[in-house]
Protein backbone atom coordinates (compact mmCIF):
# COMPACT_ATOMS: atom_id res chain seq x y z
CA UNK A 1 0.00 0.00 0.00
CA UNK A 2 0.79 3.63 -0.43
CA UNK A 3 0.37 6.18 2.28
CA UNK A 4 -2.21 8.94 1.90
CA UNK A 5 0.45 11.65 1.60
CA UNK A 6 2.25 10.13 -1.38
CA UNK A 7 0.89 10.64 -4.85
CA UNK A 8 0.98 7.55 -7.00
CA UNK A 9 0.37 7.21 -10.74
CA UNK A 10 -1.32 3.82 -11.00
CA UNK A 11 -1.88 4.26 -14.72
CA UNK A 12 1.77 5.03 -15.36
CA UNK A 13 2.00 6.46 -18.88
CA UNK A 14 -1.34 5.06 -20.02
CA UNK A 15 -0.21 4.04 -23.50
CA UNK A 16 0.71 0.45 -22.74
CA UNK A 17 -2.81 -0.75 -23.49
CA UNK A 18 -2.42 0.06 -27.17
CA UNK A 19 1.27 -0.37 -27.73
CA UNK A 20 2.12 -3.46 -25.80
CA UNK A 21 4.81 -3.60 -23.15
CA UNK A 22 6.85 -0.55 -24.12
CA UNK A 23 6.49 3.18 -23.64
CA UNK A 24 4.96 4.81 -26.73
CA UNK A 25 6.83 8.10 -26.40
CA UNK A 26 8.02 9.06 -29.86
CA UNK A 27 5.80 6.40 -31.49
CA UNK A 28 2.56 8.42 -31.63
CA UNK A 29 1.81 7.34 -35.21
CA UNK A 30 1.86 3.69 -34.17
CA UNK A 31 -0.47 4.54 -31.27
CA UNK A 32 -2.90 6.36 -33.60
CA UNK A 33 -2.94 3.42 -36.02
CA UNK A 34 -3.63 0.99 -33.16
CA UNK A 35 -6.52 3.17 -31.91
CA UNK A 36 -7.91 3.55 -35.45
CA UNK A 37 -7.73 -0.21 -36.06
CA UNK A 38 -9.55 -1.05 -32.82
CA UNK A 39 -12.14 1.74 -33.32
CA UNK A 40 -12.74 0.72 -36.93
CA UNK A 41 -13.35 -2.89 -35.87
CA UNK A 42 -15.73 -1.74 -33.14
CA UNK A 43 -17.74 0.35 -35.61
CA UNK A 44 -17.94 -2.59 -38.05
CA UNK A 45 -19.26 -4.90 -35.33
CA UNK A 46 -21.77 -2.27 -34.22
CA UNK A 47 -23.08 -1.81 -37.77
CA UNK A 48 -23.47 -5.56 -38.25
CA UNK A 49 -25.41 -5.86 -35.00
CA UNK A 50 -27.47 -2.77 -35.80
CA UNK A 51 -28.56 -4.24 -39.13
CA UNK A 52 -29.68 -7.41 -37.37
CA UNK A 53 -31.62 -5.57 -34.66
CA UNK A 54 -33.19 -2.82 -36.79
CA UNK A 55 -36.31 -4.84 -37.57
CA UNK A 56 -36.73 -5.75 -33.88
CA UNK A 57 -36.55 -2.07 -32.95
CA UNK A 58 -39.08 -1.18 -35.63
CA UNK A 59 -41.55 -3.84 -34.57
CA UNK A 60 -41.21 -2.94 -30.91
CA UNK A 61 -42.41 0.51 -31.97
CA UNK A 62 -45.35 -1.11 -33.80
CA UNK A 63 -46.23 -3.18 -30.72
CA UNK A 64 -46.09 -0.12 -28.48
CA UNK A 65 -48.35 1.78 -30.86
CA UNK A 66 -50.87 -1.07 -31.03
CA UNK A 67 -50.74 -1.52 -27.26
CA UNK A 68 -51.38 2.15 -26.55
CA UNK A 69 -54.21 2.14 -29.07
CA UNK A 70 -55.79 -0.92 -27.41
CA UNK A 71 -55.37 0.64 -23.98
CA UNK A 72 -57.07 3.88 -25.04
CA UNK A 73 -59.94 1.96 -26.65
CA UNK A 74 -60.37 -0.23 -23.57
CA UNK A 75 -60.43 2.72 -21.20
CA UNK A 76 -62.86 4.53 -23.50
CA UNK A 77 -65.29 1.58 -23.62
CA UNK A 78 -65.05 1.11 -19.85
CA UNK A 79 -65.84 4.79 -19.26
CA UNK A 80 -68.71 4.54 -21.74
CA UNK A 81 -70.15 1.78 -19.60
CA UNK A 82 -69.84 3.94 -16.50
CA UNK A 83 -71.12 7.15 -18.05
CA UNK A 84 -73.80 5.87 -20.43
CA UNK A 85 -75.10 2.76 -18.66
CA UNK A 86 -74.61 3.16 -14.91
CA UNK A 87 -74.64 6.89 -14.23
CA UNK A 88 -76.36 8.08 -17.43
CA UNK A 89 -74.30 11.18 -17.93
CA UNK A 90 -74.27 11.30 -21.74
CA UNK A 91 -72.50 14.65 -21.93
CA UNK A 92 -69.55 13.26 -19.99
CA UNK A 93 -69.64 10.08 -22.09
CA UNK A 94 -69.40 12.07 -25.34
CA UNK A 95 -66.65 14.34 -23.98
CA UNK A 96 -64.57 11.39 -22.76
CA UNK A 97 -65.06 9.57 -26.05
CA UNK A 98 -63.91 12.59 -28.03
CA UNK A 99 -60.88 13.05 -25.75
CA UNK A 100 -59.80 9.39 -25.85
CA UNK A 101 -60.40 9.05 -29.57
CA UNK A 102 -58.51 12.28 -30.28
CA UNK A 103 -55.58 10.83 -28.30
CA UNK A 104 -55.80 7.58 -30.27
CA UNK A 105 -55.90 9.44 -33.61
CA UNK A 106 -52.91 11.56 -32.55
CA UNK A 107 -50.95 8.43 -31.61
CA UNK A 108 -51.72 7.01 -35.05
CA UNK A 109 -50.74 10.22 -36.81
CA UNK A 110 -47.46 10.36 -34.84
CA UNK A 111 -46.57 6.70 -35.44
CA UNK A 112 -47.80 6.08 -38.96
CA UNK A 113 -46.39 7.80 -42.02
CA UNK A 114 -48.43 7.87 -45.20
CA UNK A 115 -51.65 6.20 -44.06
CA UNK A 116 -53.82 5.77 -47.15
CA UNK A 117 -56.60 8.26 -47.84
CA UNK A 118 -59.78 8.11 -49.89
CA UNK A 119 -59.92 11.59 -51.34
CA UNK A 120 -59.84 13.95 -48.38
CA UNK A 121 -60.92 11.24 -45.92
CA UNK A 122 -57.96 10.20 -43.78
CA UNK A 123 -58.21 6.54 -42.78
CA UNK A 124 -56.79 7.27 -39.33
CA UNK A 125 -60.29 8.42 -38.42
CA UNK A 126 -61.75 4.94 -38.99
CA UNK A 127 -60.53 4.07 -35.50
CA UNK A 128 -62.66 6.93 -34.16
CA UNK A 129 -65.94 5.59 -35.56
CA UNK A 130 -66.63 2.49 -33.38
CA UNK A 131 -66.45 4.30 -30.03
CA UNK A 132 -68.53 7.22 -31.29
CA UNK A 133 -71.06 4.74 -32.68
CA UNK A 134 -71.24 2.93 -29.32
CA UNK A 135 -71.66 6.22 -27.48
CA UNK A 136 -74.44 7.31 -29.84
CA UNK A 137 -76.23 3.92 -29.63
CA UNK A 138 -76.23 4.06 -25.82
CA UNK A 139 -77.42 7.67 -25.85
CA UNK A 140 -80.35 6.93 -28.17
CA UNK A 141 -81.37 3.70 -26.40
CA UNK A 142 -84.75 3.57 -24.66
CA UNK A 143 -84.68 4.16 -20.91
CA UNK A 144 -87.21 3.77 -18.14
CA UNK A 145 -88.41 6.52 -15.74
CA UNK A 146 -85.36 6.03 -13.52
CA UNK A 147 -82.97 6.57 -16.45
CA UNK A 148 -81.88 2.94 -16.64
CA UNK A 149 -81.64 1.13 -19.97
CA UNK A 150 -84.68 -0.94 -20.91
CA UNK A 151 -84.06 -4.63 -20.47
CA UNK A 152 -84.87 -5.68 -24.04
CA UNK A 153 -83.29 -2.82 -26.01
CA UNK A 154 -82.06 -3.49 -29.47
CA UNK A 155 -78.83 -1.87 -30.57
CA UNK A 156 -78.69 -2.23 -34.35
CA UNK A 157 -75.69 0.09 -34.65
CA UNK A 158 -73.69 -2.13 -32.31
CA UNK A 159 -73.50 -4.80 -35.01
CA UNK A 160 -71.07 -2.54 -36.88
CA UNK A 161 -68.82 -1.67 -33.92
CA UNK A 162 -66.80 -4.88 -33.69
CA UNK A 163 -66.28 -5.24 -37.48
CA UNK A 164 -65.12 -1.62 -37.63
CA UNK A 165 -62.60 -2.26 -34.85
CA UNK A 166 -61.39 -5.34 -36.76
CA UNK A 167 -61.17 -3.34 -40.00
CA UNK A 168 -59.14 -0.66 -38.23
CA UNK A 169 -56.67 -3.14 -36.78
CA UNK A 170 -56.39 -4.96 -40.10
CA UNK A 171 -55.54 -1.63 -41.72
CA UNK A 172 -52.87 -1.05 -39.06
CA UNK A 173 -51.63 -4.62 -39.60
CA UNK A 174 -51.26 -3.90 -43.32
CA UNK A 175 -49.44 -0.63 -42.56
CA UNK A 176 -47.07 -2.51 -40.24
CA UNK A 177 -46.30 -5.22 -42.80
CA UNK A 178 -42.81 -5.27 -44.36
CA UNK A 179 -42.19 -2.82 -47.16
CA UNK A 180 -40.71 -5.45 -49.49
CA UNK A 181 -39.73 -9.09 -49.60
CA UNK A 182 -36.10 -8.20 -48.84
CA UNK A 183 -36.90 -5.82 -45.99
CA UNK A 184 -38.28 -6.69 -42.60
CA UNK A 185 -39.02 -3.11 -41.65
CA UNK A 186 -42.66 -1.93 -41.34
CA UNK A 187 -44.15 -0.29 -44.40
CA UNK A 188 -45.37 3.03 -43.02
CA UNK A 189 -44.34 3.29 -39.35
CA UNK A 190 -41.90 6.04 -38.47
Amino acid sequence: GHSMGTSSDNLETGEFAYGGESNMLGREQELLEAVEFRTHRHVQIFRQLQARWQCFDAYSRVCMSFGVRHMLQSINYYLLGLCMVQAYTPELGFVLTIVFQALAVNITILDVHGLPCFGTFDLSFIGFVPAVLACTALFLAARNEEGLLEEHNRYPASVAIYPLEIAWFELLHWVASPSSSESSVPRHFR
Side-chain angles (χ1 to χ4, degrees):
H2 291 60
S3 67
M4 292 287 278
T6 354
S7 68
S8 167
D9 184 7
N10 292 328
L11 297 177
E12 297 176 8
T13 59
E15 289 113 5
F16 291 154
Y18 289 104
E21 297 292 325
S22 63
N23 188 342
M24 294 296 292
L25 192 60
R27 297 172 37 200
E28 288 81 10
Q29 186 61 36
E30 184 181 339
L31 176 63
L32 289 174
E33 288 172 7
V35 169
E36 183 179 342
F37 172 76
R38 287 192 172 94
T39 304
H40 181 68
R41 178 73 182 132
H42 172 76
V43 170
Q44 285 177 338
I45 291 171
F46 175 76
R47 287 184 181 154
Q48 289 170 354
L49 291 174
Q50 184 182 28
R52 291 181 191 151
W53 285 94
Q54 187 176 16
C55 65
F56 294 110
D57 289 341
Y59 279 104
S60 67
R61 173 79 182 219
V62 169
C63 290
M64 286 189 307
S65 179
F66 282 15
V68 168
R69 174 80 185 163
H70 275 297
M71 181 187 69
L72 289 171
Q73 288 297 89
S74 299
I75 292 171
N76 191 186
Y77 286 127
Y78 173 74
L79 292 174
L80 274 178
L82 287 177
C83 294
M84 302 297 273
V85 176
Q86 289 183 353
Y88 191 58
T89 53
E91 299 84 10
L92 183 59
F94 277 107
V95 167
L96 289 172
T97 297
I98 289 169
V99 167
F100 276 93
Q101 294 309 307
L103 286 171
V105 167
N106 281 329
I107 295 277
T108 303
I109 290 170
L110 287 173
D111 286 343
V112 178
H113 169 69
L115 196 62
C117 296
F118 287 118
T120 58
F121 181 68
D122 186 357
L123 289 182
S124 62
F125 287 99
I126 286 178
F128 201 96
V129 174
V132 171
L133 197 57
C135 195
T136 306
L138 288 169
F139 175 70
L140 296 175
R143 295 183 180 271
N144 61 21
E145 301 84 32
E146 297 161 358
L148 299 173
L149 290 172
E150 292 288 335
E151 190 172 318
H152 298 290
N153 270 339
R154 295 187 186 265
Y155 302 97
S158 65
V159 175
I161 293 171
Y162 186 70
L164 282 170
E165 287 284 350
I166 296 298
W168 171 243
F169 280 106
E170 281 301 313
L171 176 67
L172 288 179
H173 182 260
W174 173 79
V175 167
S177 64
S179 52
S180 68
S181 60
E182 298 100 30
S183 174
S184 297
V185 179
R187 183 183 314 254
H188 292 285
F189 270 75
R190 295 179 202 252

